[in-house]
Amino acid sequence: MFVEEYLVDLRQSGFRPRAWARYVRRCLKLARESAFERPLMVRSIALVGVVGFLFLLAAALVLAFAAERGLAFQVFTQCGLVLLFGLAVTAAHVRLLVRPDGRPVDRFNPANILTLSRLVVIPAMLAFVSYGHLRLALLTYLAGGLTDVLDGWLARRRGD
């Protein structure tokens, strides 16, 4: 998260390590305060995380029985880390989540969830290719394309 007023101080200090530490502390404090101001959105992010991890676990179990255990483990761990990172970044920037009219967003909407899901499956596609499961990689890619169309349609329909 880049906060211009904090960046001004950082530039004036010549980007010294102590100034970077102060910048990071100030940004984390702002993120924490924003999260406490928007508890519904933070709960929504947490719920998406729990459901996402359950979905990844189910997919990994299917992969373990249908394909290879190593592939299942790699997909679960890498996709899980991307999901965790994506949710952490979203939670840190909760103050930036506003509607076009400036009102704050209360929860993740379906279009946001579909967008996040595309980010999360990128490691799965890479793992499928590296293990030689090109059909699975292609199916994952096509599913990502379908979610892109679907999230655009949902966003326009709902006005998000």
Side-chain angles (χ1 to χ4, degrees), residues 37-56:
E37 292 171 4
R38 308 265 297 277
L40 287 176
M41 186 62 191
V42 173
R43 270 188 250 152
S44 176
I45 292 168
L47 180 62
V48 168
V50 168
V51 170
F53 275 108
L54 290 175
F55 180 79
L56 284 175

Side-chain angles (χ1 to χ4, degrees), residues 7 100 134:
L7 285 173
L134 300 181

Side-chain angles (χ1 to χ4, degrees), residues 1-155:
M1 149 178 21
F2 298 107
V3 182
E4 185 58 35
E5 64 188 78
Y6 300 168
L7 285 173
V8 169
D9 294 342
L10 185 61
R11 285 185 202 108
Q12 289 174 348
S13 74
F15 299 98
R16 291 191 179 98
R18 179 176 265 168
W20 273 107
R22 183 170 184 256
Y23 173 78
V24 169
R25 275 194 315 273
R26 291 173 78 186
C27 287
L28 289 173
K29 181 181 177 191
L30 180 62
R32 186 183 69 235
E33 290 168 356
S34 298
F36 281 117
E37 292 171 4
R38 308 265 297 277
L40 287 176
M41 186 62 191
V42 173
R43 270 188 250 152
S44 176
I45 292 168
L47 180 62
V48 168
V50 168
V51 170
F53 275 108
L54 290 175
F55 180 79
L56 284 175
L57 181 61
L61 288 173
V62 168
L63 275 173
F65 288 112
E68 302 173 41
R69 271 199 246 163
L71 175 63
F73 180 75
Q74 186 174 353
V75 166
F76 178 75
T77 55
Q78 291 178 355
C79 291
L81 287 172
V82 169
L83 176 62
L84 183 63
F85 178 75
L87 293 171
V89 168
T90 304
H93 293 82
V94 75
R95 69 185 179 83
L96 301 176
L97 300 173
V98 294
R99 292 182 177 85
D101 62 5
R103 292 181 301 136
V105 175
D106 293 338
R107 62 186 66 82
F108 258 27
N109 60 40
N112 299 134
I113 294 168
L114 288 172
T115 300
L116 181 63
S117 72
R118 276 195 311 282
L119 176 69
V120 170
V121 298
I122 291 170
M125 284 190 297
L126 296 174
F128 294 152
V129 170
S130 71
Y131 274 76
H133 294 282
L134 300 181
R135 286 189 181 135
L136 280 175
L138 178 63
L139 286 173
T140 306
Y141 179 79
L142 292 174
L146 181 64
T147 62
D148 186 33
V149 171
L150 187 58
D151 90 37
W153 177 77
L154 280 171

